[in-house]
Amino acid sequence: ISKRPALLIPIALGDAVLRSPAVVSIATDLDGRIQVFNPGAVRLLGYAANEVTDQLSLSDLCTAWQPGFKALALKASQLVHVECELVFVRKDGSTIPARGSLSTLNGEQGEHIGYLLIATDNSARLEAEAVRAQLEAQVREAQKLEALGTLAAGIAHDFNNILAVTLGNADLALRDCAGNLRAQDSLEEIRKAGSRGRELVHQLLTFMRKKDTELVLVSLAPIVVDTVRLLRATLPGRLAIEVDCQPDVPLIAADSTQIVQVLINLATNAMQAMPVGPGLIRITLSTVRFDGLPADATTVPLTFRNKHPDGAVCLTLSDTGHGMDAETQRRSFDPFFTTKPMGEGTGLGLTIIRGILQTHDGVVTVASQPAEGTRFALYFPIATAQLSASVADSPASTAVEAPRHYPSLRILYIDDDQALVFLVKRLLERRGERVSAYQSAKEALAALRAAPTEFDLVLSDYNMPGLSGLDVARAVRAIRPDLPMAITTGYVDETLEAQAASAGVREVIFKAEAVEQFCDAVQRVGRSTRESS
């Protein structure tokens, strides 16, 4: 260590600090010229001690001070010790953030003669803080998505009631005005619009629903078509979307909800890659074979091709956006990597997509050029013959049963929505059922207690003020344990189905189903119990 005899280093520092390779110790005179440059400074900054001693000042080695060195120099007559943040400039020009303390040094007579900086590399701490900030942002984003799911479930009840009333009355009106073709045309358009709204709500709720991955044999074409219908409602008018599904694409083992999530994520990325002007999103579905192709003829990993020599099902999504350079493309699947500004992206979208493909034993590839758009290709294994056979061998009756003539069901119906009470009563009575309808669960239960044998089925809405549908089910079981019970709801999930089963509910009926399906479900519950008794 180079040191002038007149420069006294405080004894409290100790010889270990001055000689430590892990701690930077730099002492200067009053002008800031370096007099002491310890091994830690040599290691971190890349200078030899003789290259800086009496040659460079502290300001030559630092680009930023908090507080400023000049401001500290104004206090030369005082004993000063200040904690500071600074950025060192290494010999090769690179920079290193550091944290340390700057103190005054006294001479043999106690006079102020210079400064001493003790510092450590702050890179690891700053990187850890940046990662923590990113993780906190991911948590906040996840919480927003969870809140969105809660909101979707919350509005489903009222919105599905509206759709059910719209579709049900349109169906009734179509039958009532059989001779008025113009009115029938208008009512048919109302019915179609309501059906699209019902499908949109159903897809959103399915997408937001939390559940474990469940792979079953599916055809991707209907999933693609349904998802595109959902996307068309969200894309700006300047963007077009095209779909090309090859006929006879084989089945795959997949979780349809996760496939929808993948398509929505990729379409969202494509939309953000085309922020201005017209653009095109193109989705294709086809069967591909790898045999006979040279190793460099496809970007599909060789391990996947060797594992699936008979080919794969390929689902692609491409856009005409700004594309990616080679470095961005290389890191596109890295967790927390995003090209979006702060607050506009989590950096997890493509990572999640790759994870979903891995759970499906598939792979995802990307091809892109700046200003030439991007193409993502998802490869899924073709379902094996064993899986296909297991589905084909599942019990299913194809025999046509002779029509049966049933006596009318006596139904006790409960819903707090007056419009639905009016509609469902009319629908079921047109099918020959006898319906006692109530808007109050307490009044309905009182009627049941007064005549417990007068009903074949209790049908109740799930989400009602006071008593829920599950509360009604428990009360019905206490009054008459053998009486079948069904509940209707605008949001069906695994938790509700489990709770309903434990409360004695025979079936949970999705309220926004088509009118015929809704009535069929109601009659199925009542008549299946009657036949078994």
Side-chain angles (χ1 to χ4, degrees), residues 5 12 45 51 68 89 112 206 219 255 291 352 407 410 467 518 524:
L45 302 181
E51 291 180 298
V89 180
H112 179 56
T206 300
S219 171
D255 184 314
D291 55 338
I352 292 174
R410 297 166 297 176
L467 296 177
F518 178 86
R524 180 174 64 249

Side-chain angles (χ1 to χ4, degrees), residues 21 67 143 204 208 216-217 256 295 315 333 340 394 452 475 502:
Q143 289 172 338
L204 285 173
M208 297 305 300
V216 297
L217 288 184
S256 58
L315 177 62
F333 292 99
K340 301 181 180 71
S394 61
S502 65

Side-chain angles (χ1 to χ4, degrees), residues 65-341:
W65 281 94
Q66 291 180 353
F69 182 78
K70 292 182 179 179
L72 187 61
L74 295 177
K75 301 179 180 180
S77 61
Q78 305 175 21
L79 182 64
V80 177
H81 177 83
V82 181
E83 297 295 325
C84 55
E85 300 278 349
L86 64 151
V87 177
F88 281 123
V89 180
R90 303 181 76 252
K91 184 177 180 179
D92 61 6
S94 60
T95 58
I96 296 178
R99 183 180 180 84
S101 61
L102 189 65
S103 306
T104 54
L105 289 176
N106 293 334
E108 295 176 347
Q109 305 301 320
E111 73 278 15
H112 179 56
I113 59 173
Y115 304 94
L116 174 66
L117 174 67
I118 304 295
T120 56
D121 185 354
N122 204 26
S123 302
R125 183 179 70 86
L126 293 178
E127 289 176 1
E129 289 180 352
V131 170
R132 184 179 66 181
Q134 279 190 321
L135 290 174
E136 289 174 350
Q138 310 309 323
V139 171
R140 288 194 297 270
E141 191 69 20
Q143 289 172 338
K144 286 195 293 184
L145 291 175
E146 185 175 355
L148 179 59
T150 303
L151 177 63
I155 66 173
H157 175 257
D158 289 339
F159 193 54
N160 277 312
N161 281 357
I162 295 170
L163 289 173
V165 171
T166 302
L167 290 169
N169 280 290
D171 184 76
L172 289 173
L174 277 169
R175 300 180 186 183
D176 290 339
C177 60
N180 190 332
L181 295 181
R182 296 183 64 181
Q184 283 187 323
D185 289 342
S186 298
L187 288 168
E188 184 63 26
E189 291 303 312
I190 293 173
R191 191 191 62 79
K192 289 179 181 178
S195 297
R196 287 197 298 269
R198 180 191 62 215
E199 292 169 3
L200 180 62
V201 172
H202 184 67
Q203 289 171 357
L204 285 173
L205 292 177
T206 300
F207 175 67
M208 297 305 300
R209 187 193 309 172
K210 296 179 180 178
K211 65 174 185 176
D212 296 331
T213 301
E214 182 180 357
L215 302 183
V216 297
L217 288 184
V218 298
S219 171
L220 281 183
I223 297 175
V224 171
V225 172
D226 288 344
T227 306
V228 169
R229 186 182 298 115
L230 176 63
L231 290 172
R232 290 189 196 279
T234 60
L235 288 176
R238 57 184 176 78
L239 299 181
I241 183 167
E242 293 182 355
V243 181
D244 182 11
C245 293
Q246 187 182 83
D248 302 324
V249 173
L251 300 179
I252 67 170
D255 184 314
S256 58
T257 301
Q258 291 190 351
I259 301 300
V260 172
Q261 181 181 355
V262 167
L263 284 172
I264 290 177
N265 282 2
L266 289 177
T268 300
N269 284 349
M271 180 175 61
Q272 294 171 345
M274 300 178 287
V276 295
L280 174 65
I281 297 175
R282 181 173 174 79
I283 300 175
T284 66
L285 178 65
S286 62
T287 308
V288 296
R289 297 186 61 86
F290 305 123
D291 55 338
L293 294 176
D296 59 350
T298 176
T299 57
V300 181
L302 183 61
T303 53
F304 180 85
R305 285 183 282 155
N306 290 339
K307 188 176 180 181
H308 304 286
D310 293 333
V313 173
C314 180
L315 177 62
T316 71
L317 188 146
S318 60
D319 63 65
T320 56
H322 49 61
M324 297 182 285
D325 57 28
E327 177 62 18
T328 302
Q329 188 173 329
R330 184 182 66 82
R331 299 190 58 194
S332 57
F333 292 99
D334 290 353
F336 308 124
F337 175 76
T338 178
T339 59
K340 301 181 180 71

Side-chain angles (χ1 to χ4, degrees), residues 311-379:
V313 173
C314 180
L315 177 62
T316 71
L317 188 146
S318 60
D319 63 65
T320 56
H322 49 61
M324 297 182 285
D325 57 28
E327 177 62 18
T328 302
Q329 188 173 329
R330 184 182 66 82
R331 299 190 58 194
S332 57
F333 292 99
D334 290 353
F336 308 124
F337 175 76
T338 178
T339 59
K340 301 181 180 71
M342 181 67 69
E344 293 186 15
T346 65
L348 286 175
L350 293 179
T351 305
I352 292 174
I353 288 173
R354 183 172 62 181
I356 290 175
L357 264 292
Q358 288 173 347
T359 64
H360 288 72
D361 195 25
V363 294
V364 53
T365 65
V366 57
S368 184
Q369 291 290 338
E372 294 184 10
T374 302
R375 178 182 182 272
F376 286 93
L378 317 174
Y379 295 89

